[in-house]
Amino acid sequence: MHAVEVIHSKRDGHRLTDEQIDWVVAAHTRGDVADEQMAALAMAILLNGMDAGEIARWTQAMIDSGEVLSFGDVGRPLVDKHSTGGVGDKITLPLAPLVAACGAAVPQLSGRGLGHTGGTLDKLEAIPGWRACLTQEEIATQLADVGAVVCATTPTLAPADRKLYALRDVTGTVESIPLIASSIMSKKIAEGTDGLVLDVKVGSGAFMKTPERARELAETMVAIGSAHGLATTALLTDMSVPLGRAVGNALEVAEAVEVLRGGGPADVVELTVALAREMLALAGITGVDPAQVLASGQAYEVWERMIAAQGGDPSAPLPTASHVEELVAERSGVLARLDAYAVGVAGWRLGAGRARKEDAVQAAAGVRLLVDVGAEVEAGQPLLELHTDTPQAVDGARAALAGGVVISDEPAARPPLLMDAIRP
Ligand code: URA
């Protein structure tokens, strides 16, 4: 087999054979196919696509590049959630303990943030002492004892994806739906969960800017799940406005704790409960209302145990920024737009996110939203707080927000959060 022949084949619009797919993914992982050849193939796939059979095989080849995790019998059904990423998306934090409190086990292997979207591990690392890296045995023990684990993926999970994703990132080939879908699903299938709920975000702050693209991604991932015997459901949810009122690592942890204590912003509660319902349905758990469990404080108890099991102190004060500035309304009217991408970039520039994988993040940096879309505001009223330990970053954050915060004379409302559900 030659890499150039595989590239020619996809470049000329043909279907890749199972043998071509198995060979090229394995050979690139071993280093026998060069990065520039794999980049050319990724571009050919981006331009000419792959059919459902090719995508399922590509996903399997990436799973086979590493280890499929097994946690043994933890005494409860395993069910996981994956979000395609958004601004203020801290949902994993209340969701994992909530679903555990309802009787399932949640092995949530997560990543770090890159660009304007935050990473779950970065958020949890704002908690003093909390540790992201666990062994497979530690994960299994925690799943059996606590029912919920949020930790770093192991290096043995789909190594082909790690190598290919890094290459796609620098060659303009991230936006291919077959490649995104197989990348996400290979890691989730290799994680060994029994059920998976996907939160596919739509809007300016998301990967997928339009409902059509988001639906196509969701349907592709649900089909991969079915082809691999993994029960998978997807929700399409709005990401044109940030989720909740906090964007940034420690700020988001504080908001998640409010939700776990029965309070917090209505949109964060709504999405947490909607995803929990889907996860419990996949786990076959009936007769438990996650809204009631959240309100009762039981999920908060699981949160405390989940954090403590990974060395964190759930009662320790969270870090706070040394510098906080307000952004005020330039005129009176209705807050018509609070653009998720603009707020995400502002948080990133303040220090909450990273531009390169090697960069450190500031635990306390970020943006607090003081007013909801649709509310009336007065000229001079504070709309946002900008938090940072590097005050020189504030000008860049304000520039990112220009045009993203719009006050109008017309009534406005936040778009509906739950847009659609895709089931097999
Ligand atoms: N997240 C992933 O894990 N893979 C992609 O290709 C895109 C987003």
Side-chain angles (χ1 to χ4, degrees):
M1 197 87 65
H2 292 288
V4 177
E5 283 168 16
V6 183
I7 297 165
H8 280 169
S9 188
K10 190 42 82 183
R11 182 200 65 186
D12 296 341
H14 301 299
R15 233 190 139 262
L16 297 179
T17 65
D18 289 353
E19 294 71 29
Q20 284 176 319
I21 291 173
D22 294 350
W23 177 81
V24 81
V25 170
H28 179 242
T29 309
R30 284 196 306 272
D32 292 344
V33 164
D35 278 350
E36 53 272 28
Q37 293 176 308
M38 199 61 169
L41 181 60
M43 184 59 83
I45 292 171
L46 181 135
L47 295 173
N48 290 328
M50 290 200 283
D51 68 22
E54 288 174 287
I55 296 172
R57 190 71 181 205
W58 188 277
T59 307
Q60 188 62 50
M62 298 223 288
I63 296 167
D64 292 342
S65 70
E67 194 186 0
V68 175
L69 302 186
S70 168
F71 305 118
D73 181 8
V74 300
R76 317 162 180 220
L78 292 173
V79 62
D80 194 8
K81 184 258 332 187
H82 176 83
S83 159
T84 57
V87 177
D89 184 1
K90 73 281 295 171
I91 299 293
T92 292
L93 277 51
L95 181 65
L98 171 59
V99 172
C102 293
V106 185
Q108 173 87 58
L109 272 52
S110 300
R112 295 180 191 282
L114 193 61
H116 74 279
T117 61
T120 299
L121 301 182
D122 296 323
K123 295 173 204 206
L124 287 168
E125 279 174 347
I127 300 172
W130 187 83
R131 178 166 70 92
C133 291
L134 301 183
T135 63
Q136 208 179 135
E137 291 68 36
E138 286 173 323
I139 299 173
T141 305
Q142 192 172 323
L143 281 174
D145 292 351
V146 181
V149 179
V150 183
C151 65
T153 57
T154 67
T156 53
L157 204 80
D161 176 64
R162 196 161 318 111
K163 206 168 168 197
L164 179 56
Y165 190 75
L167 197 56
R168 288 166 55 213
D169 205 24
V170 293
T171 56
T173 50
V174 168
E175 291 83 358
S176 153
I177 285 180
L179 292 178
I180 297 173
S182 54
S183 164
I184 292 172
M185 293 302 287
S186 63
K187 288 174 285 199
K188 288 292 160 185
I189 294 166
E191 186 187 281
T193 180
D194 302 324
L196 175 65
V197 176
L198 299 161
D199 179 7
V200 180
K201 304 277 184 208
V202 189
S204 69
F207 239 130
M208 297 292 138
K209 308 292 180 199
T210 65
E212 294 72 28
R213 292 269 298 163
R215 172 177 288 277
E216 191 184 339
L217 177 63
E219 287 175 349
T220 307
M221 291 195 287
V222 169
I224 295 174
S226 298
H228 288 83
L230 173 61
T232 307
T233 297
L235 296 186
L236 299 193
T237 70
D238 177 70
M239 186 31 72
S240 59
V241 180
L243 257 177
R245 288 181 152 213
V247 175
N249 303 312
L251 295 171
E252 292 191 43
V253 172
E255 187 169 277
V257 168
E258 278 175 41
V259 170
L260 284 158
R261 288 190 149 142
D267 59 347
V268 179
V269 175
E270 181 186 357
L271 186 53
T272 304
V273 169
L275 290 164
R277 286 194 209 289
E278 296 291 340
M279 291 168 77
L280 294 173
L282 289 184
I285 295 175
T286 53
V288 185
D289 179 3
Q292 272 180 9
V293 174
L294 193 58
S296 73
Q298 284 165 270
Y300 182 70
E301 285 169 24
V302 177
W303 160 264
E304 285 186 305
R305 291 170 55 217
M306 178 180 97
I307 296 302
Q310 289 172 241
D313 179 355
S315 56
L318 291 164
T320 54
S322 58
H323 184 86
V324 180
E325 277 187 29
E326 287 170 344
L327 182 132
V328 301
E330 284 175 0
R331 67 177 187 95
S332 301
V334 172
L335 182 62
R337 185 155 164 251
L338 197 51
D339 181 67
Y341 181 71
V343 175
V345 174
W348 175 21
R349 291 188 179 169
L350 290 166
R354 53 172 71 75
R356 291 169 310 147
K357 281 203 285 293
E358 315 67 66
D359 296 347
V361 297
Q362 292 177 29
V367 181
R368 259 170 40 84
L369 316 176
L370 306 176
V371 177
D372 293 327
V373 169
E376 295 210 4
V377 297
E378 298 290 331
Q381 180 181 337
L383 301 179
L384 307 176
E385 278 174 9
L386 311 178
H387 292 232
T388 186
D389 293 330
T390 43
Q392 65 276 19
V394 170
D395 286 351
R398 286 185 186 277
L401 289 163
V405 181
V406 177
I407 296 171
S408 90
D409 297 321
E410 306 298 321
R414 190 201 201 292
L417 184 57
L418 302 178
M419 299 169 67
D420 209 348
I422 314 282
R423 300 198 167 86

